[in-house]
Amino acid sequence: MGIHFCPGAALAREETRIAIELALDRLPGLRLAAGNDFARHPSMLLRGLKRLDLVWDAPR
Ligand code: HEM
């Protein structure tokens, strides 16, 4: 927040939305793989997961 709030936030969110929609389109049955521990990066800045394992069905 505040004067240094990321001016690219809206663009980044839009890019992410498009990327996820395309991935859902192109990877049928995209879902979480078993065994994800959802461990997070120990960072104050980027609050992402260390890894996220996904699986999908082979295109017919
Ligand atoms: C997932 C993508 C992105 C993340 C996580 C991100 C994150 C951040 C963070 C944490 C800051 C510092 C804010 C602060 O000091 O309070 C920042 C600043 C900034 N970001 Fe982003 N950003 C992203 C994408 C972008 C994009 C796409 C652009 C440009 C097109 C951009 C341009 C900037 C600029 C110019 C600043 C400096 C703002 C200032 O100091 O006044 N960022 N960003």
Side-chain angles (χ1 to χ4, degrees):
M1 65 187 78
I3 57 166
H4 290 294
F5 181 77
C6 175
L11 173 60
R13 288 187 177 116
E14 187 62 10
E15 290 171 344
T16 308
R17 186 186 61 76
I18 293 166
I20 292 173
E21 279 184 5
L22 278 175
L24 293 173
D25 260 359
R26 299 202 182 150
L27 306 173
L30 186 68
R31 56 198 179 278
L32 291 174
N36 277 298
D37 63 7
F38 306 106
R40 290 181 171 276
H41 279 291
S43 163
M44 286 288 290
L45 202 58
L46 294 176
R47 296 174 295 161
L49 296 176
K50 284 184 178 172
R51 62 180 292 154
L52 184 67
D53 295 336
L54 301 171
V55 290
W56 60 87
D57 305 323
R60 287 190 201 87

